[in-house]
Amino acid sequence: MAAKLKKGDKVVVLAGKDKGKEGTISSVDPKAGKAVVDGINMAVRHTKQTQTSQGGRQPKAMPIQLSNLAFLDANGKATRVGFKIEGDKKVRYAKTTGDVIDA
C-alpha cells in the first residue's frame, strides 16, 4: 500500500497525549506504520558522555502511529489524503479541498 504521509509533510496529532499539536514528519517507517514528528511524543533518554557530545538527559522524539496523524491542508485544517491519476502520474491530493499535494 502506498504511503499517504511522507517525510516533510505538516501534520496534526488526532489522539494521545499530544492531541492537537502540529509538526513536520522527519522520518516514516511504513512497515511498522509509524512516523517520527519533530516535537511530538517526546521522551527523555539518558545518554553517556563521549569525547564529542555531552551526556545527561536528552529529549528525543519517539515514533507515533500513522493512524493518529492527519495531513494539514493549505487552510491549516486536518484532512485525509487520497490518490488520483493525472496524466500518467499518480499524485496525492487533499480530500477536503481537492488540491494536489505534490505537484
Side-chain angles (χ1 to χ4, degrees):
M1 187 171 149
K4 296 192 177 207
L5 297 175
K6 294 183 177 182
K7 180 179 176 178
D9 285 349
K10 292 268 302 169
V11 293
V12 63
V13 180
L14 299 176
K17 66 179 184 180
D18 294 322
K19 181 177 180 178
K21 291 186 181 177
E22 299 176 4
T24 305
I25 295 179
S26 59
S27 69
V28 178
D29 183 5
K31 191 170 186 178
K34 295 187 177 213
V36 176
V37 182
D38 297 330
I40 305 293
N41 200 23
M42 298 299 283
V44 174
R45 288 288 170 248
H46 301 271
T47 57
K48 198 172 187 179
Q49 183 176 358
T50 64
Q51 287 183 341
T52 58
S53 66
Q54 181 70 26
R57 301 177 60 189
Q58 305 290 332
K60 179 182 180 185
M62 301 302 289
I64 187 169
Q65 282 286 336
L66 287 173
S67 62
N68 293 335
L69 300 174
F71 184 80
L72 283 176
D73 63 3
N75 302 329
K77 298 218 174 189
T79 182
R80 290 181 294 164
V81 176
F83 293 99
K84 63 182 174 182
I85 307 295
E86 282 193 353
D88 57 346
K89 285 185 135 182
K90 182 177 176 182
V91 295
R92 297 185 307 153
Y93 74 100
K95 291 252 186 168
T96 54
T97 60
D99 295 337
V100 174
I101 297 169
D102 24 47

